[in-house]
Structures are given as C-alpha cells and as structure tokens.
Amino acid sequence: EPEVTQTPSHQVTQMGQEVILRCVPISNHLYFYWYRQILGQKVEFLVSFYNNEISEKSEIFDDQFSVERPDGSNFTLKIRSTKLEDSAMYFCASSVVSDTQYFGPGTRLTVL
Amino acid sequence: KQEVTQIPAALSVPEGENLVLNCSFTDSAIYNLQWFRQDPGKGLTSLLLIQSSQREQTSGRLNASLDKSSGRSTLYIAASQPGDSATYLCAAPISSGYSTLTFGKGTMLLVSP
C-alpha cells in the first residue's frame, strides 16, 4: 500500500542553523501539507501546497519557513534559522483532493 | 475559527468492552471529518473519513458518526482489544471550503487484558 515517507526520522541541530525536512508524498496525490506537534500538545497546521504554490498557511509559518517541491516526488520544509521552540515532531501529509489526508511517520526535530 | 474538543482526555477499559469517544467542533459548515490513531512517538494513521452527506462510516470494529447540526462526532469501538491502545484524534477542516485540518487534543485509550 502506498505511504508517505519522511526523512530523517530524527534531526538534531544547533539553534540558528538551517534544517531541511524531506517528504515523499503518495505518488498520485495533489495536495501536500506540513503539520507539527510539540510534545504533549495538539497537532498544528503549518502550510498546504497545491499546484506548485502555497494554498494556505498558518500564523506559525512565518518568514523563517519555506516549502518547495523541487522535483516530481519530493516535498521539503526548510527552517532557515532554528529556534528552541521549533523543537517538535513535523508531519508531512498528502491527499488526492480535499479528502482523506495520509500522514507520514514524522521527523523529530530537536533544537539545542 | 474552528475549534475541536475531545472528551474524555483519557479512558481505561478492560478488554472486550465497547466504548465511545466523543468529538465536538464549533464550525459546523464542514464537508468532512477525519478520525486518526496515533501510537506513542509515531505518526498519524487515518481510521475513517466521514463526508458531510453521510451520518455514519464503518471500518471493521470501528464506527464513526457525524451530526453537523449539533457539532458532534463519535467514534465507537466494538469489542476493544489491547492492540487498540493508542491516542485517538479527531480532525475537522478549519472552515468551509478548506482542506486544512484542525485537531483535537485526543483521547488516550488504554485497553487492559
């Protein structure tokens, strides 16, 4: 069964460093999302992407964040200058249209 | 702004019991609602998606209902098993016409043998 994959599973970085989180959505899906979950808190929406552009973004998704679909399979989230409060589990999701979203296993980002 | 609330926050039951998890949402102008399962430290597994035109959706021992008028959804788990132990999350679109999901805090379920 097709699934969303994410790499790396765990990323440790120093405050102020740039990180890139990678996702491979399910191949025939058209909508792509990033969510995050700070330990013990709700899953929060960051950004959605459709037709090679951002379709929605939350207040969390400020100028320090960017997304890209560099080729036909990968979908990336970049954080330019990480802060301690960026430590969280980051989930990528994809969907065919506006229906069931399928989530990847997540990347745990630890900012020291 | 859509807000999703789940009760109870935690539930502990003996194996074999039927149980109901509750979800409420504030903006009833949604076109679907999704239930997920999350195991500790893991990703989210989609369990059921209910369209606004449906009242119920079933998958195996799981049955989800949706009542838009009252802003409520329930997830019924029949004959619970220890393997059902996980956190169950309810998620609704942030607003009409949007696919972005707003999540509840979840119900942590423990099924003891």
Side-chain angles (χ1 to χ4, degrees):
Chain A
E1 185 173 324
E3 57 185 21
V4 177
T5 59
Q6 291 185 243
T7 54
S9 57
H10 192 188
Q11 174 90 48
V12 181
T13 190
Q14 294 291 326
M15 190 169 56
Q17 295 296 304
E18 174 182 287
V19 294
I20 297 176
L21 310 183
R22 292 181 167 81
C23 168
V24 178
I26 295 173
S27 62
N28 63 331
H29 285 189
L30 302 176
Y31 288 76
F32 314 113
Y33 309 84
W34 283 102
Y35 293 83
R36 77 174 185 187
Q37 185 177 34
I38 295 171
L39 190 63
Q41 297 188 21
K42 289 185 182 185
V43 176
E44 303 173 287
F45 166 71
L46 294 178
V47 66
S48 61
F49 194 84
Y50 170 71
N51 201 24
N52 284 320
E53 60 183 23
I54 291 173
S55 50
E56 301 167 56
K57 60 182 181 178
S58 72
E59 295 168 352
I60 303 168
F61 195 88
D62 61 21
D63 292 344
Q64 292 300 309
F65 291 86
S66 62
V67 289
E68 195 177 32
R69 189 155 162 82
D71 52 43
S73 59
N74 290 283
F75 180 50
T76 62
L77 175 69
K78 182 194 289 186
I79 309 175
R80 288 190 184 79
S81 179
T82 50
K83 305 171 191 170
L84 294 176
E85 55 265 36
D86 293 328
S87 294
M89 183 77 96
Y90 288 79
F91 294 109
C92 174
S94 68
S95 63
V96 176
V97 284
S98 301
D99 58 2
T100 304
Q101 292 186 25
Y102 294 91
F103 281 67
T107 293
R108 181 168 298 285
L109 176 64
T110 301
V111 183
L112 302 176
Chain B
K1 179 185 172 185
Q2 180 74 274
E3 293 195 6
V4 177
T5 304
Q6 292 187 248
I7 52 172
L11 184 62
S12 182
V13 300
E15 182 177 5
E17 267 203 15
N18 303 325
L19 56 101
V20 175
L21 308 181
N22 297 291
C23 170
S24 61
F25 47 92
T26 54
D27 184 348
S28 60
I30 58 172
Y31 54 88
N32 62 37
L33 182 139
Q34 200 165 348
W35 281 92
F36 295 87
R37 168 185 172 138
Q38 185 176 30
D39 292 284
K42 304 289 186 182
L44 281 65
T45 301
S46 178
L47 297 174
L48 289 163
L49 176 94
I50 318 175
Q51 301 289 356
S52 60
S53 56
Q54 303 172 306
R55 290 191 62 85
E56 289 189 2
Q57 187 71 262
T58 299
S59 175
R61 294 181 294 107
L62 305 180
N63 176 278
S65 67
L66 176 63
D67 184 346
K68 285 183 56 177
S69 62
S70 66
R72 292 180 184 177
S73 177
T74 61
L75 180 67
Y76 174 82
I77 302 177
S80 57
Q81 302 171 357
D84 295 331
S85 298
T87 296
Y88 290 80
L89 302 175
C90 168
I94 57 168
S95 183
S96 174
Y98 290 87
S99 59
T100 300
L101 295 176
T102 297
F103 284 80
K105 283 189 173 181
T107 294
M108 187 182 302
L109 173 66
L110 177 63
V111 182
S112 51

